[in-house]
Amino acid sequence: MVCGGFTCSKNALCSLNVVYMLVGLLLIGVAAWGKGFGLVSSIHIIGGVIAVGVFLLLIAIVGLIGAIHHHQVMLFFYMVILFIVFLFQFGVSCSCLAMNRGQQVALLNSTWGIMLNDTKTDLESQLNCCGLLNTTDSRQTFEADVENCRAPCKKEDRCQSCGDKMLNHATEALKILGGVGLFFSFSEILGVWLAVRYRNQKDPRANPSAFL
């Protein structure tokens, strides 16, 4: 059977969903590992990563079952959900690649403002820094964060602000995140294309007079 036929489309779609399942399991495993080793104690971060992993795993299972059984309804919902995920991920990836330094500072400030104290403490300990940015507008918050900081550098009284540390590597990190996100977004549009193509193909082993 030449590639592009029913069997090839089925195998390609199954393989793609197996990869999605592995990525979902990897996300769940990494979150559990980080929690188990005490790298991150915030239940919101752990829960968020696990939720993404479970969602990806469920979508991959739906796509895999739909591909194996050539199930029209499951394949339809699979490709619709995957297309919505593609649009969201493509937009976020492009935003990461196009973000300038001023937007990075604004994003850091807004993200830091909604973090729990436990999450801030974890981050400060991992990066060995205290507080976010020591600016005029946020000096009171910065001093409170430094007071609660438990980073090793505080004992030596020469801590750098976490904001300065993150901004030094933010552009490179955003390029990596944007590039990886863009790559996976195109893998998702490939999955949508394969699902559409596969749904419209007739199983050569099925009854020729059966309704597709």
Side-chain angles (χ1 to χ4, degrees):
M1 180 74 67
V2 295
C3 192
F6 181 87
T7 304
C8 182
S9 297
K10 177 180 179 179
N11 292 337
L13 193 57
C14 288
S15 301
L16 187 64
N17 282 291
V18 168
V19 172
Y20 286 157
M21 289 177 66
L22 293 176
V23 173
L25 290 172
L26 180 64
L27 287 173
I28 296 171
V30 167
W33 176 79
K35 179 65 176 176
F37 278 82
L39 299 179
V40 181
S41 63
S42 173
I43 192 65
H44 294 286
I45 293 179
I46 296 295
V49 175
I50 290 177
V52 172
V54 170
F55 176 76
L56 187 59
L57 188 62
L58 291 176
I59 293 301
I61 291 174
V62 170
L64 187 62
I65 295 174
I68 292 174
H69 297 286
H70 200 224
H71 197 287
Q72 296 290 306
V73 176
M74 294 184 75
L75 288 172
F76 173 78
F77 281 108
Y78 168 78
M79 67 186 191
V80 169
I81 295 173
L82 203 61
F83 183 70
I84 294 173
V85 172
F86 159 75
L87 291 177
F88 176 77
Q89 189 169 329
F90 183 79
V92 171
S93 300
C94 290
S95 298
C96 287
L97 294 173
M99 191 173 291
N100 58 37
R101 191 172 182 86
Q103 292 170 327
Q104 293 170 14
V105 172
L107 179 63
L108 281 176
N109 283 323
S110 61
T111 305
W112 190 267
I114 61 175
M115 279 185 181
L116 297 175
N117 290 332
D118 288 343
T119 307
K120 291 179 182 179
T121 303
D122 288 338
L123 186 61
E124 289 169 339
S125 298
Q126 291 297 318
L127 296 179
N128 196 22
C129 57
C130 286
L132 184 62
L133 292 168
N134 189 11
T135 60
T136 306
D137 296 334
S138 60
R139 179 153 301 176
Q140 187 174 358
T141 304
F142 178 80
E143 290 175 354
D145 290 334
V146 171
E147 187 70 25
N148 297 324
C149 181
R150 300 175 187 171
C153 66
K154 192 177 181 182
K155 299 177 182 178
E156 303 171 5
D157 199 24
R158 55 182 181 86
C159 282
Q160 186 179 0
S161 69
C162 295
D164 291 333
K165 274 197 169 185
M166 287 187 281
L167 286 172
N168 288 338
H169 304 285
T171 302
E172 183 181 355
L174 286 170
K175 285 182 179 178
I176 294 173
L177 287 172
V180 171
L182 208 59
F183 172 78
F184 274 104
S185 68
F186 283 114
S187 75
E188 287 158 5
I189 203 65
L190 173 64
V192 173
W193 178 78
L194 282 172
V196 172
R197 181 183 180 87
Y198 182 58
R199 281 187 80 241
N200 294 326
Q201 289 177 325
K202 197 169 186 66
D203 189 347
R205 295 169 298 181
N207 183 2
S209 61
F211 179 73
L212 180 61

